[in-house]
Amino acid sequence: MRKYVIISAFAMALGISCATNPFTGKKTLNFVSNDQIFPMAFAQYKQFLTENKVVSGSGAAQQVQTVGNKIRIAAEKYLNSLGQKEYLNGYAWEYKLVENKEVNAWCMPGGKIVVYSGILPVTKDEAGLATVLGHEVSHALANHGAQRMSADQLQQLVGIGVGAAVSGQSQEKQAIFSQAYGLGSTLLVTLPFSRSNESEADEIGLTLMAIAGYNPDQAITFWQRMSAQGGGAPPEFLSTHPSDATRIRDLKRLIPQAKATAAKFGVVYK
């Protein structure tokens, strides 16, 4: 009986938790509202800043602010053109440069962004930084954080259902089913889902940087520099991110579309 209750709850969750994202035009599964996730994200961001060295008053810190604001304005222009101005309600954009040798940047749900100083030698200029910030801002705009939380909840729910379905089996068989579900859900659901989010953020970010006045061709140059960093990445099917080669290939395909969208806002590239 329990497994049928779980299946019914699962079906109801799917039915009521899908919304269309204006940036992608896709319906996304989301059990977590902005009212729930934003306060948590903002608190974590504030805590992070107290525990790390924030760089201020430098040219690099100013560049992060300048490029970040241009990307934000581009997002607002795009949403306004779709009649979706209210979509950004609750977002509180903030950009910080943090002293850290790691080649990384990230964005919390709701628009709290951190750039590590270690990535600046790779970004090199505003266009390179716009590639990074466009991508990170796009994670927030596409609600990838909430989607990830929703997917985790869904996997847990299905896992309970799997456990209930094999509850009459021996402990050895239950353990085998549990391990198989864990491995299968990681390889077939979690990792592809994460790579899909990354590719989606690349696509949205490319459009935003183009609207913001940065030639999207420069995204290719940035990712070529990133690829040259090396680092022994795992095979793509075992990674949370697409390979650099896949990213570059996909971005090349998407550049004409990004330029065409930017042209609608009066920004023209050859």
Side-chain angles (χ1 to χ4, degrees):
M1 180 68 177
R2 182 186 176 195
K3 64 182 178 181
Y4 296 114
V5 172
I6 292 170
I7 291 171
S8 296
F10 170 70
M12 286 178 63
L14 286 177
I16 65 176
S17 302
C18 290
T20 301
N21 187 281
F23 284 92
T24 64
K26 300 176 183 176
K27 287 188 176 297
T28 56
L29 187 65
N30 190 349
F31 303 152
V32 188
S33 70
N34 288 349
D35 289 341
Q36 293 173 294
I37 196 171
F38 283 9
M40 292 188 294
F42 294 169
Q44 290 175 10
Y45 179 78
K46 184 177 181 180
Q47 181 66 28
F48 174 87
L49 295 182
T50 65
E51 297 171 352
N52 292 270
K53 184 177 180 180
V54 177
V55 181
S56 60
S58 68
Q62 183 56 52
Q63 186 182 71
V64 169
Q65 295 293 326
T66 298
V67 176
N69 283 325
K70 287 182 179 180
I71 295 295
R72 173 186 58 79
I73 291 169
E76 291 171 352
K77 286 181 178 178
Y78 185 79
L79 286 166
N80 288 344
S81 74
L82 298 176
Q84 294 274 358
K85 183 178 181 179
E86 71 285 351
Y87 184 82
L88 292 176
N89 289 348
Y91 280 77
W93 301 105
E94 189 174 339
Y95 311 88
K96 296 293 184 183
L97 177 64
V98 168
E99 189 172 298
N100 189 308
K101 293 181 180 179
E102 188 176 345
V103 181
N104 198 16
W106 45 263
C107 180
M108 286 284 202
K112 302 296 188 182
I113 298 124
V114 164
V115 176
Y116 289 166
S117 57
I119 202 172
L120 297 182
V122 187
T123 58
K124 287 189 179 296
D125 53 27
E126 282 198 17
L129 188 56
T131 304
V132 172
L133 289 179
H135 173 91
E136 297 304 334
V137 163
S138 295
H139 276 307
L141 293 172
N143 289 326
H144 286 160
Q147 287 180 38
R148 177 69 269 165
M149 289 179 67
S150 300
D152 288 344
Q153 292 175 13
L154 196 57
Q155 279 185 269
Q156 291 173 13
L157 186 63
V158 174
I160 292 171
V162 171
V166 299
S167 60
Q169 304 292 324
S170 67
Q171 288 188 347
E172 182 180 1
K173 286 186 177 180
Q174 288 184 48
I176 292 173
F177 274 110
S178 178
Q179 291 174 2
Y181 173 73
L183 180 60
S185 63
T186 296
L187 291 178
L188 299 177
V189 179
T190 303
L191 293 178
F193 182 81
S194 180
R195 290 194 296 271
S196 174
N197 280 175
E198 289 297 318
S199 296
E200 199 168 76
D202 281 346
E203 181 174 357
I204 298 169
L206 194 70
T207 298
L208 293 181
M209 71 178 289
I211 296 172
Y214 299 104
N215 193 327
D217 291 329
Q218 295 302 309
I220 303 300
T221 307
F222 166 78
W223 280 108
Q224 288 171 339
R225 291 196 296 266
M226 278 292 285
S227 182
Q229 298 289 303
E236 186 172 74
F237 78 96
L238 292 176
S239 176
T240 57
H241 289 58
S243 68
D244 292 339
T246 296
R247 268 194 155 127
I248 291 170
R249 181 198 66 208
D250 290 346
L251 287 170
K252 286 180 177 178
R253 173 177 56 82
L254 293 167
I255 282 173
Q257 176 184 316
K259 289 181 176 179
T261 301
K264 296 177 182 178
F265 296 89
V267 185
V268 179
Y269 303 98
K270 294 182 179 179

